[in-house]
Amino acid sequence: MDRWRGRVALVTGASVGIGAAIAEELVRCGMKVVGCARDVEKIQNLAAECRRAGHSGVLVPFQCDLNNEEEILSMFAAIKEQHKGVDVCINNAGLAHPESLLNGETSGWKNMLDVNVLALCICTREAYQSMKERHVDDGHIVNINSMSGHRVVSSADAHFYGSTKYAVTALTEGLRQELREANTHIRATCISPGMVKTEFFLRFYNNNADKAADSYSKFKLLQAIDIAHSVTYVLSAPPHVQIGDIQMRPVEQVL
């Protein structure tokens, strides 16, 4: 990770869970990390923890609602003005609603598409343009995907969510091809975890702690730091190595 010291990474959804773990790990490795989320106070607290820990990098909190393209564009403009631009983009933000295909609410479907697919694409486009205009040829775009983007589970509540993650799988490969055709060495990777111990299921079940606890009690889950280590692994790969996808899950997880 030495070559990334002092360079700028954007981590979306950096307030909790996987995003917070990735942001802290990149700061520990010496990067300047812009962490964005709607709840910026949690990122401010994490930034203070990073300072107390003596990490060599810095975490810059930024409030941004990824449902709003104007806010995303304003964020990239601020990053350009204050930090010159983005060298690494970690598209981590994502959400799920228990909306089935036969009975789901359109508003829930739209929210998942807006955050899981459209915001990811907007951030990717803006990050690439930032790299291109500064002649950054070794940048990296990492999409935090899911095992749900590789197989369909037998749970109606997860089917639409899974379709957004299948989109991320296709978008990452399409991005890799476009970057290659553009004669750039910017790399694209997606990381696809299975079940991770975060607030995901608590939010999925609308803060029903019993349902969430049941999902988490079946076996030892992945930890958020496991995904953060996967991010530093792909960033540390030699410049000629393209890691397309990392699929990871608890050893006891069936699908």
Side-chain angles (χ1 to χ4, degrees):
M1 289 292 290
D2 286 347
R3 71 186 180 91
W4 295 110
R5 287 185 178 277
R7 300 183 69 180
V8 178
L10 169 66
V11 179
T12 66
S15 59
V16 295
I18 293 171
I22 293 171
E24 182 174 9
E25 184 65 9
L26 295 182
V27 170
R28 190 187 67 80
C29 292
M31 296 193 74
K32 181 183 291 184
V33 179
V34 177
C36 79
R38 286 179 298 180
D39 187 355
V40 74
E41 184 178 352
K42 291 182 179 179
I43 307 177
Q44 291 169 341
N45 293 337
L46 181 60
E49 291 177 16
C50 289
R51 290 192 296 270
R52 287 193 294 269
H55 295 332
S56 56
V58 61
L59 177 57
V60 181
F62 200 100
Q63 188 170 36
C64 181
D65 182 356
L66 294 176
N67 285 292
N68 188 324
E69 181 176 8
E70 291 304 315
E71 289 197 23
I72 298 174
L73 298 180
S74 295
M75 175 177 66
F76 273 91
I79 293 172
K80 179 179 179 179
E81 180 181 354
Q82 299 169 18
H83 311 293
K84 297 184 179 179
V86 172
D87 302 309
V88 172
C89 179
I90 311 293
N91 288 309
N92 164 76
L95 51 81
H97 300 297
E99 305 289 358
S100 70
L101 300 178
L102 298 183
N103 300 299
E105 296 287 341
T106 304
S107 59
W109 294 345
K110 187 177 184 301
N111 190 210
M112 285 184 271
L113 283 173
D114 284 345
V115 175
N116 298 0
V117 179
L118 290 179
L120 177 145
C121 290
I122 295 167
C123 289
T124 295
R125 180 190 67 203
E126 296 305 309
Y128 170 70
Q129 294 299 330
S130 173
M131 297 173 199
K132 181 181 178 182
E133 70 180 20
R134 293 176 297 120
H135 306 290
V136 171
D137 195 47
D138 65 342
H140 209 133
I141 297 167
V142 180
N143 294 329
I144 305 302
N145 196 0
S146 168
M147 285 303 302
S148 293
H150 299 277
R151 80 284 190 271
V152 179
V153 297
S154 57
S155 171
D157 286 346
H159 287 160
F160 193 94
Y161 166 75
S163 76
T164 68
K165 292 304 182 177
Y166 265 88
V168 173
T169 301
L171 289 166
T172 306
E173 174 57 17
L175 175 62
R176 184 192 69 81
Q177 293 182 17
E178 290 191 27
L179 290 170
R180 185 192 64 217
E181 291 164 4
N183 295 315
T184 175
H185 293 93
I186 296 168
R187 296 181 291 180
T189 300
C190 78
I191 296 174
S192 303
M195 295 180 69
V196 186
K197 190 174 183 180
T198 65
E199 297 179 4
F200 177 88
F201 279 104
L202 186 61
R203 294 180 175 184
F204 184 72
Y205 290 121
N206 296 316
N207 293 315
N208 186 319
D210 291 335
K211 279 191 174 182
D214 182 62
S215 299
Y216 290 141
S217 64
K218 296 173 182 176
F219 42 74
K220 182 174 176 59
L221 305 181
L222 298 176
Q223 305 296 310
I225 190 62
D226 297 326
I227 290 78
H229 288 158
S230 295
V231 171
T232 56
Y233 170 73
V234 301
L235 290 175
S236 300
H240 68 285
V241 176
Q242 171 80 266
I243 300 173
D245 193 354
I246 293 179
Q247 297 183 27
M248 54 193 300
R249 65 193 110 190
V251 293
E252 295 178 76
Q253 183 172 334
V254 177
L255 293 176

